[in-house]
Amino acid sequence: SESNSRRAVNRGYLGELLRLYQDWHRNDVSNNYIYIRRGLLLCLKYITNIQLGRETFLGSRGMEILFTSVQDCLSCKNLDPIITTATHILRKCYPKEHLPVVIVRSSYSFPLPGNASAEPPCEGSEGKWLKGGDSESEGEEEAENDWDNEDVEGKEEDCDLETDVNKLRSKPVLDRSEQELEKYEALCAELFQNFQELEFETEEKKNLEDRTESLTSAPFHFIPNATSVKHPNCRWRNQSVTEMGPDPGEQDFKVPLQSWRKEEQCIWNKNDEKRDIVEEVQDKDFCGEEDPARSHVFALCSLLKDAAWYKKMFYPHCEASINPSPEGRLESSDIVRNLLEKHQGDIPFHNPCFYAARAICVKSIPGYRELAFPDFWGHQPPPYSKPVLERKHGVQRDKVLDDVRRLIQPGDVIGRTVFDLDDPSSLSSPAAPGCLTFFSKFESGNLRKAIQVREFEYDLIMNADVNSNQHHQWFYFEVRDMKSVVPYRFNIINCEKFNSQFNYGMQLVMYSVREALQGRPRWIRAGQEICYYKNHYRCSAAAGGGVRGRFYYTLTFSIKFPHKDDVCYLAYHYPYTYSTMMSHLDILEQNRNPKKVYWRQQTLCQTLGGNPCPLLTITAMPESKNRDDLEQFCSRPYVFLTARVHPGESNASWVMKGTLEFLVSSDPIAELLRKCFIFKIVPMLNPDGVINGNLRCSLSGDDLNRQWLTPSSQLHPTIYHAKGLLYYLRSIGRAPLVFCDYHGHSQKKNVFLYGCSIKETLWQAGCMVDTAVVTEDVGYRTLPKILDKVAPAFVMNSCSFLVEKSRASTARVVVWKEMGVLRSYTMESTYCSCSHGLYRVSKPFK
């Protein structure tokens, strides 16, 4: 008990326990008395549960004593009980520190419109909320409150269930006037289009149809280039509206941009919504001369500072013409030209020029001026499958002991800051000899600080979400100047989650520029000796969700880079940027068969940061312009799909990418779906968060999937107008048959759905259900059952149809209750592997 622990400390028993343990350790050479030695350690473990015990332990040189004894035991597996208990004590008693940052708040801030204000900044080492010191019961594990997932486990889930039948019943209500809904009519032009223009097909359009008709059923390898055909609905960038005329039915609803603009302004013409990016590349000659009208010039991050190896390897004849400037920007476009000549053009649905043309218009808080090479160049899937990483016995223990060694044997600790977003001088100063160079100021990048601990070990700190003190999980950064076949250890020291799939076989992903230029452009799973554990860095009350006494977690991994002086990118999961999405939509529109696929891309609204949020409409073209076919076209039920409301869930965008490619393909099932339904799709609900490298929130510092009850038109425009469009569809009697919001799950395997059911919620909560009073259509289970039969990664047993109080403001619950959509779902996709079906991991994790 706590009182006994205090009594033991006050009477000097702790020092005696250490002396006894040392004596038994020294004399028990045959390891015959392991349980006595462990019993002494257990006494120390309980005493150090209180702060006074930990302080006395440190003052008695307990860290040195236990560390030395553990080193003697590592070679004998029979001593694991002693090693485990001693390591637990060492972790608990390690002196607590604050994160080595000036403030825990994000390095990026964004001025909010009107009277809205973000949460106040929280200081790091000097915040008044830290004055209280350690919690007396810090030795106990904290209670988990996982805000990332759509589920809550065990008893916590049952306590969170909504048991008020009146609140569970569908109650269609409006949070705005009916007159305001009328403006969303422009986003449903398919309901009012008479298709008379089908009689007046131009020769150019017929030629395009002939080309697209010849595509295979899954046109995954058709990559347009600068000579691709022009889409009939697009116009040249410099062609006026009067020359072309406005696009009929394409008057997009716009929200006025906020007052903030970055220096490099990108003007969006409302009549230019369906512009041809191929023509833009031709007009602007992005890969050639710079457009003098634009001051925003991009450079390739990976080709800035040391171009020697790839110049020599790929085009030695032009080496003299390629000269990086002192600032790291390219003085010539020859590098880009020559690189694109080497591009194989076989990366599905990707074109570097398309990407660059889109990226140049992105508005970000840091004002990105560089492109990450993987996003620009593209990547292919590896030609092989890879099982999850099998974790070696004792790897976490070894990493913890290595951390303790910093305290016990600090002689080889360097402690040099090599990258710091809060110190601009560190970004431009040359790296020390033998030191890695880091960079993350590109789209979706996230790395705040890098500290060289030892020659081949680095502590990394992620940036919090914009206007926030928390949400650390997503990382994406560049590293260069490495040695080959040398194990580098990286420690990301400010993770917040209580557990991670990194403890169960997940690996991060790595992209090598040298490999890409040799014809292998791939993100690969990488990293060995991966583990995830609680560390000794205090988590502020603000960063801990208002809870004191919490600590950060460390994700540690070792990597052997394949090449010396390569440029590599490391990320939590396969990145999918906003520019990737926009260029992908351009390519899909170019490659669709306009005779069969109705495609309309509009702007739902402008984001808080001034970026367009696209809205897609996909369905089948009517068979003809006769009345029956047009009526069948207009009467098709809607399916409403959204994705990427949480920026760090990049896997949601990859699932959406596959959805879009399938829907516009000539696969017979895709054709049937188009003939039966009209698909309204918002492929990225949080563009600003994705662009600026956030994990969870938008620029307002809010989790947008907790704003669906009362979204603000100023602070949460994408949610406000997505909900408005759903309201409009319901008001005209066209509420969606299915609503599905794509997410990624950081702790579970497989793919599964969360839905909404009154009866299942009440039954799970143990409430009596009068079936005569509470009636419910069980059709919400139809889609999950179908997916369980046809989708190898989908697992019905992982699905849940419970309605929790804490999820009342999520898209799934609000669309179910307010719009009356029975089949309203959140679809979760794993970050790492499946435990069932065709994609089940081949080797069980130990």
Side-chain angles (χ1 to χ4, degrees):
S1 68
E2 184 177 322
S3 59
N4 286 336
S5 297
R6 287 184 178 279
R7 190 177 300 113
V9 174
N10 292 332
R11 295 181 180 180
Y13 294 164
L14 192 147
E16 287 299 313
L17 284 170
L18 282 172
R19 186 187 62 78
L20 281 171
Y21 174 75
Q22 274 186 299
D23 188 51
W24 277 99
H25 174 73
R26 199 163 32 239
N27 293 291
D28 186 22
V29 292
S30 300
N31 298 326
N32 293 324
Y33 302 98
I34 294 176
Y35 291 106
I36 294 178
R37 292 157 64 184
R38 185 170 182 267
L40 293 171
L41 288 175
L42 288 174
C43 292
L44 290 171
K45 175 184 175 182
Y46 296 134
I47 292 174
T48 53
N49 276 343
I50 64 172
Q51 182 178 348
L52 180 61
R54 293 190 291 276
E55 292 173 351
T56 306
F57 179 84
L58 290 171
S60 303
R61 298 185 64 251
M63 296 291 286
E64 291 88 342
I65 293 171
L66 290 195
F67 180 80
T68 303
S69 68
V70 167
Q71 298 302 310
D72 297 336
C73 298
L74 289 176
S75 60
C76 182
K77 192 169 183 179
N78 291 335
L79 297 178
D80 274 357
I82 291 178
I83 297 172
T84 301
T85 307
T87 304
H88 181 88
I89 298 171
L90 290 171
R91 285 179 59 189
K92 183 168 50 176
C93 295
Y94 198 108
K96 305 303 180 274
E97 302 179 47
H98 306 292
L99 275 179
V101 292
V102 178
I103 58 173
V104 297
R105 192 170 179 78
S106 173
S107 297
Y108 300 148
S109 62
F110 181 84
L112 300 181
N115 297 323
S117 60
E119 54 184 310
C122 246
E123 300 176 5
S125 58
E126 299 167 353
K128 61 183 180 180
W129 37 261
L130 292 173
K131 298 297 184 182
D134 279 345
S135 165
E136 285 292 304
S137 59
E138 186 273 323
E140 302 299 325
E141 292 296 320
E142 305 99 328
E144 180 169 353
N145 189 5
D146 186 1
W147 293 102
D148 173 66
N149 306 319
E150 268 280 326
D151 68 311
V152 184
E153 300 291 345
K155 295 181 180 179
E156 292 184 4
E157 182 181 68
D158 293 345
C159 294
D160 189 40
L161 294 177
E162 180 59 73
T163 57
D164 188 333
V165 177
N166 292 325
K167 291 182 179 180
L168 286 171
R169 290 184 185 278
S170 177
K171 292 184 178 180
V173 293
L174 274 178
D175 63 359
R176 63 200 79 188
S177 66
E178 292 186 4
Q179 290 74 21
E180 187 178 346
L181 296 182
E182 295 175 0
K183 61 183 68 175
Y184 294 99
E185 179 180 319
L187 298 180
C188 297
E190 66 277 359
L191 297 180
F192 311 101
Q193 195 161 348
N194 58 21
F195 292 96
Q196 294 304 311
E197 65 271 20
L198 289 177
E199 292 182 335
F200 310 106
E201 292 181 349
T202 63
E203 188 66 29
E204 181 180 38
K205 184 170 182 178
K206 291 179 180 177
N207 291 338
L208 174 64
E209 291 169 355
D210 291 340
R211 287 173 180 249
T212 55
E213 188 69 36
S214 64
L215 297 180
T216 61
S217 61
F220 295 150
H221 298 286
F222 177 78
I223 304 299
N225 52 39
T227 61
S228 294
V229 296
K230 185 176 74 171
H231 192 282
N233 289 330
C234 300
R235 66 172 183 277
W236 294 100
R237 188 71 165 168
N238 56 2
Q239 193 170 8
S240 67
V241 176
T242 55
E243 292 174 317
M244 280 291 293
D247 196 11
E250 195 69 15
Q251 301 299 322
D252 295 343
F253 174 66
K254 299 276 187 174
V255 178
L257 295 179
Q258 308 302 334
S259 58
W260 175 82
R261 295 288 188 276
K262 76 173 185 181
E263 183 179 352
E264 295 82 12
Q265 192 71 259
C266 177
I267 300 174
W268 291 82
N269 187 321
K270 70 177 182 178
N271 291 309
D272 198 21
E273 196 62 34
K274 297 172 69 177
R275 63 188 173 284
D276 189 346
I277 296 300
V278 174
E279 296 168 0
E280 180 177 345
V281 173
Q282 291 175 330
D283 286 352
K284 302 302 181 183
D285 193 12
F286 181 87
C287 302
E289 297 300 323
E290 177 190 344
D291 177 15
R294 288 196 189 275
S295 61
H296 193 133
V297 182
F298 275 97
L300 293 178
C301 294
S302 58
L303 307 179
L304 300 181
K305 301 178 179 64
D306 183 7
W309 60 266
Y310 66 84
K311 287 186 294 185
K312 183 176 180 181
M313 181 181 304
F314 288 95
Y315 29 84
H317 60 280
C318 64
E319 182 170 350
S321 67
I322 304 174
N323 181 29
S325 68
E327 293 80 13
R329 304 294 184 266
L330 298 181
E331 294 178 347
S332 168
S333 61
D334 288 345
I335 286 181
V336 178
R337 280 201 192 95
N338 287 307
L339 277 175
L340 291 176
E341 288 177 3
K342 302 296 180 182
H343 197 276
Q344 300 298 315
D346 58 350
I347 297 176
F349 291 101
H350 181 79
N351 185 292
C353 290
F354 280 39
Y355 184 88
R358 280 297 188 178
I360 208 170
C361 288
V362 169
K363 300 179 177 67
S364 63
I365 293 177
Y368 298 134
R369 298 181 65 86
E370 301 185 11
L371 301 179
F373 187 89
D375 303 321
F376 169 79
W377 192 256
H379 54 95
Q380 299 169 330
Y384 52 84
S385 60
K386 186 178 181 181
V388 295
L389 181 68
E390 187 170 359
R391 183 163 166 171
K392 296 180 180 178
H393 173 75
V395 62
Q396 179 171 311
R397 175 194 67 198
D398 295 342
K399 297 300 181 182
V400 171
L401 293 175
D402 207 28
D403 294 342
V404 174
R405 186 178 289 108
R406 297 191 199 182
L407 183 69
I408 307 301
Q409 302 169 359
D412 62 341
V413 175
I414 299 173
R416 178 196 299 130
T417 298
V418 296
F419 176 82
D420 191 350
L421 280 183
D422 300 314
D423 181 13
S425 63
S426 70
L427 306 181
S428 56
S429 58
C435 176
L436 295 177
T437 302
F438 295 84
F439 191 75
S440 67
K441 292 190 71 174
F442 48 78
E443 198 172 332
S444 293
N446 189 318
L447 176 67
R448 179 174 186 168
K449 192 172 185 177
I451 302 169
Q452 186 179 19
V453 179
R454 300 185 180 96
E455 183 180 4
F456 300 114
E457 182 178 358
Y458 293 82
D459 280 353
L460 308 178
I461 299 175
M462 294 175 290
N463 195 22
D465 284 3
V466 176
N467 282 343
S468 172
N469 300 293
Q470 54 185 330
H471 306 301
H472 306 93
Q473 175 177 295
W474 172 257
F475 59 87
Y476 180 23
F477 58 88
E478 174 196 293
V479 59
R480 61 170 70 233
D481 301 327
M482 68 283 292
K483 297 180 181 179
S484 62
V485 201
V486 173
Y488 285 87
R489 179 183 173 185
F490 298 95
N491 310 304
I492 299 179
I493 62 174
N494 65 330
C495 303
E496 293 171 342
K497 293 184 177 298
F498 293 85
N499 204 350
S500 170
Q501 287 201 60
F502 284 114
N503 274 338
Y504 304 98
M506 179 172 164
Q507 295 174 280
L508 65 153
V509 293
M510 180 179 73
Y511 186 104
S512 164
V513 172
R514 186 188 290 265
E515 288 287 309
L517 295 180
Q518 290 178 346
R520 297 179 294 275
R522 297 167 188 151
W523 283 102
I524 62 171
R525 292 287 183 177
Q528 299 293 323
E529 299 181 346
I530 301 175
C531 53
Y532 186 94
Y533 55 88
K534 186 169 70 171
N535 60 35
H536 62 281
Y537 290 104
R538 285 194 184 98
C539 186
S540 72
V547 179
R548 294 174 179 267
R550 287 181 54 178
F551 289 83
Y552 288 107
Y553 288 73
T554 292
L555 165 63
T556 182
F557 54 89
S558 297
I559 284 186
K560 292 182 180 180
F561 295 103
H563 303 286
K564 180 183 178 182
D565 294 330
D566 195 1
V567 180
C568 292
Y569 292 80
L570 304 179
Y572 180 88
H573 192 68
Y574 305 99
Y576 194 96
T577 67
Y578 173 75
S579 296
T580 298
M581 177 198 67
M582 296 299 286
S583 60
H584 181 239
L585 298 183
D586 293 325
I587 294 173
L588 286 179
E589 182 172 8
Q590 291 293 312
N591 294 335
R592 70 184 174 91
N593 184 343
K595 289 174 62 178
K596 294 184 177 181
V597 180
Y598 178 97
W599 168 289
R600 183 180 294 273
Q601 180 177 339
Q602 299 169 276
T603 296
L604 175 68
C605 64
Q606 299 285 346
T607 67
L608 196 59
N611 294 290
C613 178
L615 170 71
L616 306 176
T617 305
I618 300 175
T619 188
M621 293 292 286
E623 295 291 335
S624 69
K625 63 181 189 322
N626 67 52
R627 180 175 179 179
D628 291 342
D629 287 336
L630 293 180
E631 285 184 357
Q632 190 277 336
F633 176 90
C634 293
S635 62
R636 295 169 186 167
Y638 277 94
V639 173
F640 206 107
L641 307 177
T642 62
R644 206 68 182 279
V645 70
H646 294 146
E649 297 171 3
S650 61
N651 46 354
S653 281
W654 288 107
V655 176
M656 177 58 76
K657 177 180 185 290
T659 300
L660 294 174
E661 290 172 3
F662 179 75
L663 285 178
V664 300
S665 73
S666 55
D667 185 284
I669 297 177
E671 291 183 347
L672 180 61
L673 287 171
R674 291 196 303 266
K675 290 178 181 178
C676 293
F677 304 102
I678 299 174
F679 291 88
K680 284 287 185 185
I681 302 173
V682 185
M684 190 173 285
L685 275 170
N686 192 351
D688 292 337
V690 173
I691 290 167
N692 292 285
N694 283 7
L695 165 69
R696 190 79 178 169
C697 301
S698 66
L699 296 189
S700 65
D702 296 320
D703 180 345
L704 292 183
N705 202 35
R706 297 296 185 275
Q707 309 303 323
W708 280 80
L709 270 178
T710 55
S712 165
S713 60
Q714 284 191 309
L715 297 180
H716 322 117
T718 60
I719 305 302
Y720 182 84
H721 294 295
K723 186 177 181 181
L725 178 56
L726 286 162
Y727 269 141
Y728 172 76
L729 291 174
R730 194 206 69 190
S731 70
I732 62 173
R734 303 297 300 276
L737 178 69
V738 174
F739 172 87
C740 190
D741 188 21
Y742 291 17
H743 283 252
H745 204 292
S746 67
Q747 296 187 32
K748 285 193 171 185
K749 306 290 187 184
N750 310 308
V751 179
F752 50 94
L753 290 176
Y754 292 112
C756 301
S757 166
I758 297 177
K759 287 187 175 181
E760 292 195 34
T761 301
L762 296 176
W763 285 332
Q764 181 66 29
C767 299
M768 296 295 294
V769 179
D770 188 346
T771 55
V773 177
V774 180
T775 59
E776 185 173 51
D777 184 346
V778 295
Y780 62 87
R781 280 184 165 267
T782 303
L783 181 60
K785 287 181 178 179
I786 293 173
L787 290 173
D788 194 46
K789 297 293 185 183
V790 301
F794 192 87
V795 175
M796 183 69 183
N797 289 339
S798 297
C799 296
S800 173
F801 305 95
L802 307 180
V803 181
E804 305 95 334
K805 298 174 184 177
S806 61
R807 316 297 172 189
S809 56
T810 61
R812 164 178 64 99
V813 177
V814 170
V815 172
W816 173 66
K817 289 178 62 176
E818 296 189 17
M819 316 300 167
V821 177
L822 175 69
R823 299 167 185 85
S824 180
Y825 305 105
T826 295
M827 183 167 69
E828 297 279 3
S829 301
T830 181
Y831 283 92
C832 172
S833 76
C834 297
S835 60
H836 295 76
L838 180 65
Y839 304 121
R840 181 176 53 192
V841 293
S842 57
K843 185 182 294 184
F845 180 75
K846 296 181 181 179

